[in-house]
Amino acid sequence: MKANSTEDIQVSSTQKYNQSPFTLARKRFLKNKLALAGIVVLVIFILAALFAPLLTEHDPTKGDLMLIEKPPSADHILGTDGSGRDNFARLIYGARISLTVGFSAMLFTLIIGVVTGAVAGYYGGKVDNMIMRAADLVLALPFLVLALTIIAILEKVTVGIFVTVIAITAWPTLTRIVRGTFLSLREQEFILGARAIGANDLRIIFKHFIPNAIGPIIVNATLLMATMIIVESGLSFIGMGIPQPTPTWGNMISEAQNIRILRDHPEAWIPPGLAILLTVLAINFIGDGLRDAFDPKSNRR
């Protein structure tokens, strides 16, 4: 019996070591209850955004002067705003814009950051110096100040332009993270072995560097999306983001700058505020779960 127990332990240990890093990361992630709760909350908002036409029959951009600032009713669950637009319709359609801006800005920033960081970390030398000096130049000004300056210069801001402005001012941080990861891998034996057998640069980067750097990239991309949603909401709140009447959570909260609406119509600004809070918390929980999954040492005390 003792021999069988020893063999079972050895088999279990062997199976554990034979599992891929992604399999182990997935198992660790599924044990994180906060991360799973974050996924559930985020999925609910995504489904609400996708099926918005089925959840309300009101047009989020069409106002009615006869329905200005009406209180909640059976026809208008969250009442109407200062232009007679249905607040509930603007809330769920605003999820479309806010989540799209957050994801698109994150994806655009991710592409710029990964490409520039990979090139700088892999090639080093003059290429590295040139990219890092460009990153330093962008970082010389605070992120929001630079974004506000570019937006103020533009005559018209659309969702595409807004996403582009945010991405081109936010890439240096991710570039530094990817560059640091590549520098730590550059002298590893498996990289030197790939070079020795004549593998070209693209093959080495995509087959050896990227898979080993994917953990930090995914974690930072997730947290970056939460940051982008906050940035969009903040800029829209001060009138420098997505212009009215496009429904976004930031645009809805901006109406609370009127002290009368802030006092008498909490249904107009509390729901979008809670939506931003819950979405950002959910994404941060997912990001923390991914970080702990890919780097189990990070949650050890």
Side-chain angles (χ1 to χ4, degrees), residues 12 27 31 63 95 99 101 104 109 132 136 139 150 154 156 161 164 194 208 220 224 231 257-258 262 276 295:
S12 177
K27 290 183 176 180
K31 293 179 181 178
L99 292 175
V101 169
S104 300
T109 305
M132 286 300 99
D136 291 340
L139 290 172
I150 297 175
L154 301 174
K156 184 179 180 181
I161 291 175
T164 302
H208 298 287
N220 283 279
L224 185 62
V231 169
Q257 294 182 67
N258 185 321
L262 184 66
I276 295 171
D295 184 13

Side-chain angles (χ1 to χ4, degrees), residues 21-23 25-26 29 35 39 42 102-103 106-107 109-111 113-114 174 177-178 181-182 209-227 282-295:
F22 283 100
T23 301
R26 177 175 57 82
F29 181 80
I39 290 178
L42 188 60
F103 179 78
M106 176 273 291
L107 184 62
T109 305
L110 186 67
I111 293 172
V114 170
L174 188 59
I177 293 171
V178 175
T181 304
F182 271 53
F209 275 96
I210 296 295
N212 284 281
I214 197 68
I217 291 173
I218 291 176
V219 171
N220 283 279
T222 305
L223 300 176
L224 185 62
M225 181 175 174
T227 302
I283 295 174
N284 280 329
F285 285 153
I286 295 171
D288 289 341
L290 289 171
R291 181 192 61 203
D292 294 341
F294 282 105
D295 184 13

